[in-house]
Amino acid sequence: MSVVAASDNGSTPSKFDYDLVIIGAGVGGHGAALHAVEKGLKTAIIEGDVVGGTCVNRGCVPSKALLAVSGRLRELQNEHHMKSFGLQVAAAAYDRQGVADYANNLTTKIRNNLTNSLKALGVDILTGFGSVMGPQKVKYGKDNVITARDIIIATGSVPFVPKGIEVDGKTVITSDHALKLESVPDWIVIVGSGDIGLEFSDVYTALGSEITPATDGKPVTIDLIDAKTKEHKDTLEVDAALIATSRAPFTTGLGLENIKVETQRGFIPVNERTQVIDKDGKLVPHLYCIGDANGKMMLAHAVSAQGISELVINDFISLTVVEQVTGKDHVLNHLSIPAACFTYPEISMVGLTEPQAKEKAEKEGFQINVAKTSFKANTKALAENEGEGIAKMIYRPDTGEILGVHIFGLHAADLIHEASNAMALGTQVQDIKFAVHAHPTLSEVLDELFKSAKMTLAIGLSYEVRCNVQPVTKFFLEQVDFLSPAKEPIAV
Ligand SMILES: Cc1cc2nc3c(=O)[nH]c(=O)nc-3n(C[C@H](O)[C@H](O)[C@H](O)COP(=O)(O)OP(=O)(O)OC[C@H]3O[C@@H](n4cnc5c(N)ncnc54)[C@H](O)[C@@H]3O)c2cc1C
């Protein structure tokens, strides 16, 4: 590696220290680095803090550890639920520090795994704050400059705190603080009801906090102002407030002005292939931005998918001639990426909501149908005494295209993948309904959903997808319809 003076700026280097340099070792940077090395690229990753980024250190991992513990506690404390199983449980309690340690230990373990995997594969981990100095040139730490054929920015995001709110880390906190579980306030207000706010409300309620507001003499005062009229509605006095009002991209100090890139509300503009776009609308050669910093979809698995997207890697390969590019142009379909909220019960979704699908249908001139099933009829859910839940699918009855699936119920976050994979692979309802599901499993909720869809053939015949509509049968149905138009669905 050559380390040159920081003042050596601007011109395009003729040979490079690395094939690929990634700024930020969160899930996005980590995933991209592993795949780049797999493809034979000499790769470095620059990290200003600790490997693993938000997901591992301040996001998915510790929050899911806390949810796992609090979920168990909630179940054990639910006497009615336990009795229905014929179980008697002595008063369940918890040790706050023990719960905090559990989450922290898991974080450390996964962070170490990630760091070791990078080292084992020969990725250089360069420590320090990174910035782009010019085309294919990056600075990190105090004065170290390296060159790279390609650069990926994967600098992620930080909690967004609206103006006027002062975070002190003790009584007014963000998710960064809350995940350490240094206290369990009696009365806490969660500002923001996105997935982070909802998940923390699950954790705190299970651990005994009161999420609704509060009595006098408390350290935190919250004024409720009507967002539209600005009229003062109420004042709450509580022990603590968790500010969970979304995330802001972490893109300051990245030297974007050196490559004529202007952020949009802090996000780095990219095209559908995550190539960075400059202020004149032109692509910046050899520069990509993945993950929360581009704002396309602020979820760990979406970030990883962007990082390992074949297009990005193929592009590097073609440049480094490690392999021949097969000409595959893979653009990640963000609509097929599932999202989940790990509350009790879980919520998951993929694709369009019903209003979004309606809008698209009106614009493009097609019909949509909605199918619904309940967990109440699912044997496994009933055996678990968890029959509360629904699944819903929005689809095109003329083509069988699945437009969106939403699930609310036990293990919804796991169940969604059958739908998201179907959408990613373009599988249609009339095909997936033949897939066989083991009994008794929760996956039968989706099986029922697919089977309950009602299709309409192009010539106007309705039939239930429950029948075996292979191409020959379809043809037969069409003939029947042609000879003697049927008004009622025909079940075969
Ligand atoms: C409480 C919480 C729970 C979440 N739960 C889930 C979940 O269940 N499922 C899910 O899919 N997503 C979840 N997320 C979102 C998920 O964590 C993020 O989408 C994901 O971590 C983004 O990855 P990233 O690689 O883009 O950025 P990050 O993970 O934020 O990583 C960016 C890295 O870049 C480093 N960095 C930044 N700037 C520089 C610089 N200039 N130089 C050097 N290093 C730099 C940072 O230190 C950081 O390590 C959660 C988030 C939070 C906050």
Side-chain angles (χ1 to χ4, degrees):
M1 182 209 326
S2 70
V3 177
V4 297
S7 58
D8 182 11
N9 192 1
S11 59
T12 307
S14 54
K15 58 180 188 167
F16 302 98
D17 301 314
Y18 290 96
D19 297 319
L20 173 64
V21 164
I22 302 162
I23 308 178
V27 279
H30 175 263
L34 295 195
H35 279 260
V37 169
E38 207 174 280
K39 300 288 182 186
L41 306 181
K42 190 181 175 199
T43 306
I45 194 159
I46 300 173
E47 175 53 56
D49 188 13
V50 285
V51 169
T54 305
C55 180
V56 174
N57 301 292
R58 299 171 296 277
C60 332
V61 173
S63 66
K64 266 76 248 177
L66 293 182
L67 281 160
V69 177
S70 54
R72 276 187 177 78
L73 185 67
R74 172 183 283 107
E75 189 174 16
L76 291 172
Q77 286 180 336
N78 186 339
E79 208 180 322
H80 177 71
H81 180 71
M82 285 296 151
K83 264 192 183 160
S84 68
F85 287 126
L87 295 177
Q88 289 171 0
V89 179
Y94 71 94
D95 155 33
R96 183 199 55 76
Q97 191 56 52
V99 179
D101 289 347
Y102 175 70
N104 190 38
N105 291 342
L106 184 69
T107 294
T108 307
K109 184 176 172 183
I110 295 181
R111 183 173 59 237
N112 289 343
N113 287 350
L114 252 60
T115 310
N116 292 339
S117 64
L118 289 171
K119 285 183 184 162
L121 286 172
V123 176
D124 284 345
I125 304 175
L126 310 175
T127 306
F129 190 85
S131 59
V132 181
M133 286 190 71
Q136 297 166 296
K137 203 178 283 183
V138 175
K139 179 182 158 190
Y140 73 95
K142 203 161 174 248
D143 267 334
N144 308 311
V145 176
I146 47 173
T147 58
R149 192 185 308 270
D150 291 278
I151 299 168
I152 297 181
I153 297 173
T155 51
S157 63
V158 290
F160 168 73
V161 178
K163 271 188 194 149
I165 296 178
E166 281 175 36
V167 171
D168 64 9
K170 298 285 177 207
T171 55
V172 182
I173 57 176
T174 67
S175 57
D176 287 357
H177 310 105
L179 287 166
K180 294 181 187 151
L181 204 69
E182 284 174 351
S183 67
V184 179
D186 286 344
W187 301 88
I188 183 164
V189 160
I190 296 180
V191 184
S193 59
D195 47 1
I196 294 176
L198 290 178
E199 289 183 1
F200 272 108
S201 95
D202 246 46
V203 170
Y204 281 126
T205 47
L207 298 185
S209 292
E210 179 56 78
I211 301 293
T212 48
T215 49
D216 291 340
K218 300 290 184 184
V220 182
T221 305
I222 296 180
D223 287 326
L224 294 178
I225 314 276
D226 187 303
K228 278 190 188 143
T229 63
K230 305 294 173 211
E231 192 187 333
H232 182 268
K233 290 284 182 189
D234 204 354
T235 299
L236 313 175
E237 292 187 351
V238 290
D239 292 313
L242 167 61
I243 311 303
T245 40
S246 188
R247 310 265 307 166
F250 188 52
T251 53
T252 41
L254 267 179
L256 296 173
E257 62 286 357
N258 297 331
I259 42 167
K260 297 188 183 147
V261 171
E262 279 177 2
T263 59
Q264 291 165 3
R265 293 182 301 115
F267 293 105
I268 296 180
V270 293
N271 68 3
E272 72 282 7
R273 295 176 172 86
T274 67
Q275 294 168 288
V276 175
I277 300 168
D278 73 13
K279 62 180 179 187
D280 301 321
K282 292 187 188 136
L283 293 179
V284 181
H286 308 288
L287 185 66
Y288 300 80
C289 174
I290 60 171
D292 283 8
N294 73 27
K296 274 182 177 273
M297 203 172 194
M298 295 169 93
L299 289 171
H301 47 281
V303 172
S304 300
Q306 288 173 6
I308 63 172
S309 149
E310 278 187 56
L311 185 276
V312 175
I313 298 302
N314 278 347
D315 199 354
F316 297 140
I317 296 163
S318 69
L319 292 163
T320 55
V321 202
V322 172
E323 279 173 26
Q324 283 299 311
V325 184
T326 56
K328 261 198 241 167
D329 187 8
H330 178 85
V331 177
L332 186 63
N333 174 10
H334 282 81
L335 263 186
S336 70
I337 297 179
C341 188
F342 296 81
T343 43
Y344 174 75
E346 290 178 352
I347 308 163
S348 63
M349 64 160 293
V350 61
L352 303 177
T353 61
E354 196 176 335
Q356 286 170 337
K358 269 187 189 147
E359 196 183 320
K360 182 178 162 75
E362 268 165 31
K363 222 183 262 170
E364 297 177 19
F366 61 82
Q367 295 288 315
I368 60 162
N369 270 6
V370 175
K372 286 181 190 165
T373 51
S374 159
F375 280 56
K376 279 199 172 74
N378 181 275
T379 309
K380 184 66 191 292
L382 292 177
E384 298 285 338
N385 201 4
E386 297 280 358
E388 292 302 321
I390 53 164
K392 166 176 162 179
M393 172 174 65
I394 305 125
Y395 64 99
R396 281 182 68 154
D398 56 344
T399 62
E401 185 188 353
I402 302 170
L403 299 170
V405 173
H406 306 258
I407 310 172
F408 177 78
L410 184 65
H411 294 307
D414 292 294
L415 292 177
I416 195 70
H417 294 95
E418 187 169 8
S420 62
N421 287 346
M423 288 175 70
L425 300 173
T427 311
Q428 293 163 334
V429 175
Q430 63 268 33
D431 297 320
I432 199 167
K433 64 145 186 138
F434 291 116
V436 179
H437 297 70
H439 177 75
T441 59
L442 293 172
S443 69
E444 290 171 295
V445 170
L446 283 199
D447 191 26
E448 277 298 307
L449 189 66
F450 298 138
K451 284 186 165 68
S452 68
K454 290 184 170 56
M455 302 293 296
T456 313
L457 290 177
I459 55 173
L461 174 69
S462 292
Y463 62 89
E464 290 218 14
V465 183
R466 283 178 187 282
C467 63
N468 182 13
V469 189
Q470 299 294 358
V472 174
T473 321
K474 250 187 202 168
F475 176 74
F476 171 73
L477 289 173
E478 284 168 5
Q479 295 310 307
V480 170
D481 188 55
F482 178 72
L483 295 172
S484 154
K487 298 282 178 261
E488 294 301 314
I490 297 175
V492 178

